[in-house]
Amino acid sequence: MAEKSFKYVIIGGGVSAGYAAREFGKQGVKPGELAIISKEAVAPYERPALSKAYLFPEGSFVHHENLFDVGTARLPGFHVCVGSGGERLLPEWYKEKGIELILSTEIVKADLAAKTLVSAAGEIFKYHILIIATGSAVIRLTDFGVQGADAKNIFYLREIDDADKLVEVIKGKKNGKVVIVGGGYIGLELSAALRINNLDVTMVYPEPWCMPRLFTAGIAAFYEGYYANKGVKIIKGTVAVGFNADSNGEVKEVKLKDGRVLEADIVVVGVGGRPLVTLFKGQVEEEKGGIKTDAFFKTSVSDVYAVGDVATFPMKLYNDIRRVEHVDHARKSAEQAVKVGSFRVFVVSSSSNPSELNLSRSISVNGAFISLFTIPLEISTRRVFREIFAAIKSNEEGKTIDVYDYLPFFYSRSFDLSWQFYGDNVGDAVLFGDNDPASPNPKFGSYWIKDGKVVGAFLEGGSPDENKAIAKVARVQPPAVNLDLLTKEGLSFACKI
C-alpha cells in the first residue's frame, strides 16, 4: 500500500479546510508540509452558494452576494476564500504554496494514537499534526426506512455533486411540481431558488412555523406570508411518511402523515445534518454530539485539532460550551486553530487566572501565563525558552493571542430578502419595524432580552452599517428593562449603542 507523510494534514475539504489553508499560507508553511484530504473532487469552495445562486436560472442577476455579480454561480467563481471578501484559492494556488490537494479520496480509518489515516483505496497517510474538518452529513429519509425514499429524483443538498444533479433535473422538469421536505435553512433557500425557476413549489414541515430553531412566531409569519405571495405553498404540522414512484422508478407522489398525497416530479429533503465524527469514536473526547475542544480547538488527543461543524468548544460570551453549524464559524475556527496550534509553542494571556482560558499546561512568568502546546521533539529546550522569552516580551508590548471569543452569526438570502442574526435567541423577544409581507420594502427586526440585557438581535433588510449595529448590540449586551420602549425604538436602539 502507498504511504505518504506530512507535517500537517487536514481531513475534510470544505470551507474550514480552505480557510485553514489560507492561514497556513500566511504563517509560511513550507512546500510538502501540508496536505488536504477530501472525498470531493474539487478544491474547497464556499458551500452556501449551492443553495442560492448555484440553482438560479442561467442569466439571472445576483445582487446580494460578493461571490458573483451576474448569472448562476459556477466554479471557479466561488472557491474559498471569496465568501468573506478574500482571494479565490484556485487549485493553482495550492500548487504554488506546495500544499498537496488529495481529492476524491475518502478516509475510512483513523488511528490517532499511531497518527495514521487510511483511505478506501488502501493508501496510508501519516501526519504529525491533524486538523479534523470533516463537517456534517445530511440526514437521509432512507436512514429511517421511510417507504419509497430511495426513488429517483429525491434529492439532498450538501456537496457540489448534489447541486449538479439537482440542476439537471430542474432543466428536465420545466414547470414541474416540487415538494420540499423541511422548513429550515435548506427548505427556505431551496423553495425560493426553485420557485425562481418557475417550478410549482410546496414546502412541508412538522413544526408550527418555519425555521423554529431561530425564528419566533412573529418573524416566521413574515417569511411564510412573503413566500405565499411568491407562489410557494406551505403545509405545516405534518411529515412525509412515504413516496410513490412510476414504472421508471421516478418519484411521483409524496404521502403525508395527515393523509394527504402530493404530486411531485422532484423532492428535495432538508431535515438537518449530523457531524461526521464516526472515524474518531472512542479515540477522542466528545460532548454535545461533537468533538470536545478547548478555546484553541485542541482536542483531548495531543496534536489533534477539530474545527467547524464537528467541534464542541467553549463559548466565552455565554460561559458554556456549544457546537455551531454555520459557515462563519467554519471559517473562523479554522483560522484560530492554525494561528495557535500549528506554528506557536505557546499562548500568552494577560489573564491572572489560567483556568478561565481552558489551558491544560500553563506557567506564570512576570504575570503572563504561557501555555505550552505542540512542541515537536526536534525543538531544543533552549529554543523553547527563547520562544517563551519572546512571548513575554510580546505580552509586555501588549501583543496577545486571544482565546476564541465567538459571537454567533447566522444569515440567509432568498428572493429579494436578506437577513442577519447575531447572539443568542433566548429569553423574551420583541419585534419591531415593518414586517408586512406585502410591503414593497420590508425592514424589521427582533431583540432577545434575558436577565435585563439584550442578548440577541435579528434584522431583515438591513444595510451593512445597520447589520454592524445589531452585531454590536449582541456583543455588548446593553441593558433593556422596558420592552415596550425597546419595541418602539427598534433599530434606532442598536444604532446608538
Side-chain angles (χ1 to χ4, degrees):
M1 288 187 288
E3 181 174 315
K4 288 186 174 183
S5 295
F6 300 93
K7 188 171 185 179
Y8 311 105
V9 167
I10 301 169
I11 177 171
V15 172
S16 286
Y19 280 76
R22 180 175 70 172
E23 190 59 39
F24 269 111
K26 287 179 183 177
Q27 298 284 358
V29 70
K30 293 174 184 172
E33 286 189 330
L34 171 62
I36 295 173
I37 305 174
S38 174
K39 70 183 183 68
E40 293 195 68
V42 295
Y45 56 86
E46 303 284 359
R47 206 175 293 282
L50 298 182
S51 59
K52 301 177 181 71
Y54 202 88
L55 300 178
F56 288 179
E58 290 179 11
S60 57
F61 179 68
V62 184
H63 64 282
H64 284 311
E65 180 60 85
N66 61 3
L67 302 187
F68 13 77
D69 298 319
V70 178
T72 45
R74 289 292 178 270
L75 291 178
F78 60 101
H79 279 300
V80 298
C81 298
V82 70
S84 58
E87 173 195 1
R88 285 183 184 85
L89 306 188
L90 303 176
E92 299 83 61
W93 180 88
Y94 297 89
K95 191 172 283 187
E96 287 166 8
K97 294 288 183 184
I99 298 170
E100 191 159 343
L101 278 180
I102 302 170
L103 304 176
S104 302
T105 302
E106 184 178 6
I107 298 298
V108 294
K109 184 182 176 185
D111 186 336
L112 300 185
K115 296 192 171 186
T116 301
L117 306 172
V118 181
S119 76
E123 299 160 293
I124 296 171
F125 302 98
K126 306 284 285 186
Y127 62 84
H128 176 67
I129 291 173
L130 178 68
I131 297 178
I132 300 170
T134 42
S136 296
V138 295
I139 294 172
R140 295 177 179 271
L141 298 184
T142 47
D143 298 342
F144 307 104
V146 175
Q147 177 266 319
D150 56 352
K152 294 175 185 173
N153 294 346
I154 297 180
F155 297 94
Y156 300 82
L157 186 62
R158 177 67 188 174
E159 299 177 353
I160 199 163
D161 281 354
D162 301 324
D164 283 338
K165 290 170 186 171
L166 195 49
V167 166
E168 284 309 303
V169 80
I170 288 170
K171 290 176 181 174
K173 301 285 185 182
K174 291 191 183 299
N175 305 313
K177 294 182 183 296
V178 180
V179 174
I180 307 282
V181 178
Y185 255 113
I186 291 294
L188 286 168
E189 293 189 350
L190 289 193
S191 290
L194 296 176
R195 189 72 196 98
I196 291 168
N197 279 279
N198 291 318
L199 292 163
D200 182 317
V201 179
T202 301
M203 286 179 73
V204 179
Y205 47 89
E207 299 89 359
W209 62 78
C210 64
M211 194 78 86
R213 287 200 297 175
L214 175 58
F215 289 177
T216 62
I219 293 173
F222 166 80
Y223 292 98
E224 289 174 354
Y226 190 97
Y227 274 53
N229 291 342
K230 290 287 188 180
V232 176
K233 294 181 279 293
I234 296 174
I235 298 175
K236 299 185 276 189
T238 190
V239 293
V241 294
F243 302 89
N244 293 330
D246 63 15
S247 57
N248 295 321
E250 293 187 2
V251 69
K252 279 298 160 197
E253 292 177 328
V254 181
K255 295 186 284 189
L256 304 183
K257 192 174 184 179
D258 66 8
R260 277 183 277 189
V261 178
L262 308 176
E263 289 182 53
D265 300 298
I266 302 170
V267 173
V268 186
V269 182
V271 292
R274 291 194 184 101
L276 285 166
V277 297
T278 310
L279 279 173
F280 315 101
K281 287 279 181 192
Q283 301 185 72
V284 66
E285 192 175 344
E286 294 182 39
E287 194 156 343
K288 294 187 176 179
I291 296 170
K292 188 177 181 181
T293 76
D294 65 11
F296 305 101
F297 297 98
K298 192 177 192 304
T299 71
S300 60
V301 177
S302 178
D303 296 330
V304 177
Y305 296 78
V307 295
D309 289 5
V310 298
T312 301
F313 63 96
M315 186 78 81
K316 181 180 177 183
L317 193 59
Y318 307 120
N319 196 30
D320 65 2
I321 65 168
R322 299 188 185 183
R323 192 177 66 80
V324 175
E325 292 184 11
H326 194 263
V327 64
D328 181 61
H329 165 65
R331 294 165 178 162
K332 291 174 179 173
S333 60
E335 291 170 343
Q336 173 84 348
V338 175
K339 281 176 186 173
V340 175
S342 304
F343 289 93
R344 296 177 174 86
V345 297
F346 52 80
V347 175
V348 185
S349 173
S350 55
S351 169
S352 60
N353 183 2
S355 65
E356 289 179 1
L357 306 176
N358 299 286
L359 303 178
S360 55
R361 292 176 288 158
S362 301
I363 59 172
S364 176
V365 186
N366 293 347
F369 277 92
I370 316 290
S371 174
L372 301 181
F373 272 91
T374 53
I375 306 177
L377 293 176
E378 66 266 21
I379 296 182
S380 67
T381 305
R382 182 180 296 176
R383 161 93 181 274
V384 170
F385 279 100
R386 195 163 65 238
E387 295 285 5
I388 289 174
F389 176 78
I392 295 166
K393 193 170 188 312
S394 294
N395 188 63
E396 288 171 347
E397 293 170 358
K399 298 174 186 173
T400 59
I401 305 164
D402 296 326
V403 299
Y404 193 62
D405 187 9
Y406 186 64
L407 174 67
F409 166 53
F410 300 90
Y411 72 90
S412 184
R413 289 179 296 276
S414 56
F415 293 118
D416 291 322
L417 305 175
S418 177
W419 60 258
Q420 294 193 7
F421 165 84
Y422 295 89
D424 218 4
N425 60 331
V426 294
D428 298 316
V430 300
L431 196 64
F432 61 83
D434 176 10
N435 65 331
D436 180 354
S439 175
N441 294 296
K443 180 183 284 191
F444 71 96
S446 184
Y447 296 118
W448 282 262
I449 302 91
K450 185 183 179 187
D451 300 329
K453 298 184 297 184
V454 178
V455 295
F458 171 96
L459 185 61
E460 165 62 51
S463 67
D465 286 343
E466 289 165 342
N467 287 326
K468 284 178 186 172
I470 65 162
K472 189 173 183 180
V473 165
R475 169 70 73 183
V476 173
Q477 299 184 359
V481 180
N482 189 326
L483 301 191
D484 291 335
L485 181 61
L486 190 59
T487 303
K488 189 176 179 182
E489 286 191 346
L491 192 53
S492 65
F493 174 84
C495 292
K496 69 185 181 185
I497 296 300

